[in-house]
């Protein structure tokens, strides 16, 4: 079942990254967008939370729920900002290569061991990022550099989310409670981000409401299926499968956004695929 849940997470991630790119290219409030996503996440889990179990395991639930939720909202804010500067294919691939941070984290915190294949996978992931860096330099240099810094930082935060969730389930935290806390953080974080960036908070227009609702359903799916997968299987394996979502995002971007596949990008994608496959091996 862990593999099935991981594949469901993959599908939700691929479509949601594409929705992020569509929204990032529009002059609408990103903070309000995130708050709407948070409302959807909260509503979809509010009636499934076992508040007695929540209270019985209050300390672990709050610590790891808040940690995972912080990494989630912060990583996604940086992801959508990066998508405003770089292509969806590059952003999605680097974001999903967070395993180069997950694997050392799993070794350090959970005692998982790094095999020769996984070491090769980390090397391939670093090579993929370097190739994408060469690809982005064909555009405006300052914007490309800023985009790369943003998306690598987002990838690091995404790794923190995965590791936090794994620790939460080791501590017997209920997965609906994790999603519920995540949603609350997205609501509050989005409002703070909107006020900080736009200097005001206003009611969402119809397009923002639509994008936020659609993305909210997919984000809820990502968190739900990732939680289920981590409960059922090893972090290194299920997270590796889920990260292959960049292939779906890339396909959607090429078909609908007419993104070009030049040589450095193709080489980076091949290295990214190799990295995730190698990292999934024991």
């Amino acid at each position: 079942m862990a593999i099935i849940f991981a594949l469901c997470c993959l599908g939700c991630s691929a479509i949601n990254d594409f929705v992020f790119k569509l929204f990032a290219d529009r002059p609408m409030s990103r903070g309000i967008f995130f708050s709407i996503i948070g409302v959807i996440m909260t509503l979809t889990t509010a009636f499934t939370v076992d508040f007695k179990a929540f209270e019985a395991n209050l300390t672990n639930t709050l610590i790891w729920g808040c940690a995972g939720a912080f990494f989630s909202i912060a990583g996604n804010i940086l992801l959508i900002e990066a998508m405003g500067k770089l292509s969806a294919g590059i952003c999605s691939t680097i974001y999903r290569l967070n395993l180069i941070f997950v694997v050392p984290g799993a070794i350090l915190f959970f005692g998982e061991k790094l095999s020769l294949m996984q070491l090769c996978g980390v090397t391939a992931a670093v090579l993929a990022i370097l190739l994408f860096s060469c690809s982005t330099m064909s555009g405006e240099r300052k914007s490309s550099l800023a985009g790369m810094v943003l998306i690598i930082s987002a990838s690091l935060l995404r790794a923190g989310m995965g590791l936090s969730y794994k620790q939460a389930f080791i501590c017997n935290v209920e997965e609906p409670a994790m999603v519920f806390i995540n949603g609350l953080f997205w609501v509050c974080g989005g409002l703070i981000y909107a006020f900080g960036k736009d200097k005001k908070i206003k009611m969402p227009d119809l397009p923002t409401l639509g994008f936020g609702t659609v993305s909210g359903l997919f984000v809820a799916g990502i968190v739900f299926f990732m939680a289920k997968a981590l409960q059922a299987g090893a972090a290194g394996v299920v997270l590796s499968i889920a990260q292959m979502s960049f292939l779906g995002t890339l396909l959607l971007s090429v078909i609908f956004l007419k993104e070009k596949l030049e040589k450095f990008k193709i080489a980076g994608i091949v290295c990214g695929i190799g990295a995730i496959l190698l990292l999934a091996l024991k």
Side-chain angles (χ1 to χ4, degrees):
M1 286 303 295
I3 303 299
I4 294 174
F5 287 135
L7 289 173
C8 291
C9 182
L10 182 156
C12 290
S13 297
I15 298 172
N16 189 63
D17 283 357
F18 182 68
V19 174
F20 266 37
K21 177 60 178 175
L22 293 177
F23 186 83
D25 289 337
R26 289 167 168 76
M28 295 183 280
S29 174
R30 293 170 183 174
I32 299 301
F33 171 71
F34 282 116
S35 288
I36 294 169
I37 294 173
V39 170
I40 299 300
M41 292 172 65
T42 304
L43 291 177
T44 55
T45 55
F47 299 105
T48 63
V49 177
D50 183 350
F51 286 100
K52 289 185 178 180
F54 190 113
E55 185 178 357
N57 198 11
L58 183 62
T59 301
N60 283 326
T61 301
L62 290 179
I63 290 174
W64 297 111
C66 290
F70 170 78
F71 287 129
S72 176
I73 181 61
N76 277 278
I77 285 174
L78 294 186
L79 171 62
I80 203 168
E81 288 294 341
M83 283 186 167
K85 301 177 184 296
L86 301 172
S87 74
I90 288 176
C91 288
S92 184
T93 305
I94 295 178
Y95 190 61
R96 303 304 165 189
L97 285 176
N98 63 79
L99 284 171
I100 64 174
F101 305 115
V102 169
V103 170
I107 293 170
L108 180 62
F109 298 114
F110 305 128
E112 296 184 11
K113 297 188 178 182
L114 182 66
S115 68
L116 177 61
M117 288 293 189
Q118 289 173 321
L119 180 60
C120 291
V122 171
T123 303
V126 173
L127 180 58
I129 292 173
L130 292 175
L131 287 166
F132 282 130
S133 298
C134 293
S135 174
T136 61
M137 289 304 105
S138 62
E140 201 275 315
R141 188 172 294 274
K142 288 185 179 179
S143 176
S144 298
L145 179 60
M148 289 299 295
V149 171
L150 286 169
I151 194 58
I152 292 172
S153 300
S155 182
L156 177 60
L157 290 167
R158 179 62 170 74
M161 177 188 171
L163 293 171
S164 296
Y165 269 64
K166 185 64 179 179
Q167 180 60 41
F169 299 131
I170 290 174
C171 295
N172 298 314
V173 176
E174 296 290 325
E175 135 262 325
M178 293 290 290
V179 182
F180 182 74
I181 293 173
N182 215 333
L184 294 178
F185 263 69
W186 278 60
V187 173
C188 297
L191 292 175
I192 293 170
Y193 183 53
F195 184 77
K197 183 169 184 175
D198 306 330
K199 306 304 179 186
K200 60 182 178 180
I201 297 175
K202 60 181 181 180
M203 291 297 293
D205 54 26
L206 192 58
T208 302
L209 184 61
F211 273 106
T213 301
V214 171
S215 185
L217 293 173
F218 283 113
V219 170
I222 292 168
V223 177
F224 175 80
F225 287 119
M226 184 180 71
K228 286 290 188 182
L230 286 170
Q231 283 181 311
V237 175
V238 298
L239 291 177
S240 298
I241 294 170
Q243 303 322 312
M244 295 292 284
S245 64
F246 67 85
L247 293 174
T249 304
L250 177 68
L251 180 62
L252 291 171
S253 300
V254 170
I255 294 173
F256 295 106
L257 300 180
K258 309 302 179 186
E259 289 188 1
K260 295 181 180 180
L261 290 176
E262 44 85 25
K263 60 181 181 180
F264 283 115
K265 189 182 290 188
I266 293 173
I269 291 166
V270 171
C271 285
I273 295 171
I276 289 174
L277 292 175
L278 288 168
L279 286 166
L281 297 176
K282 290 292 185 180

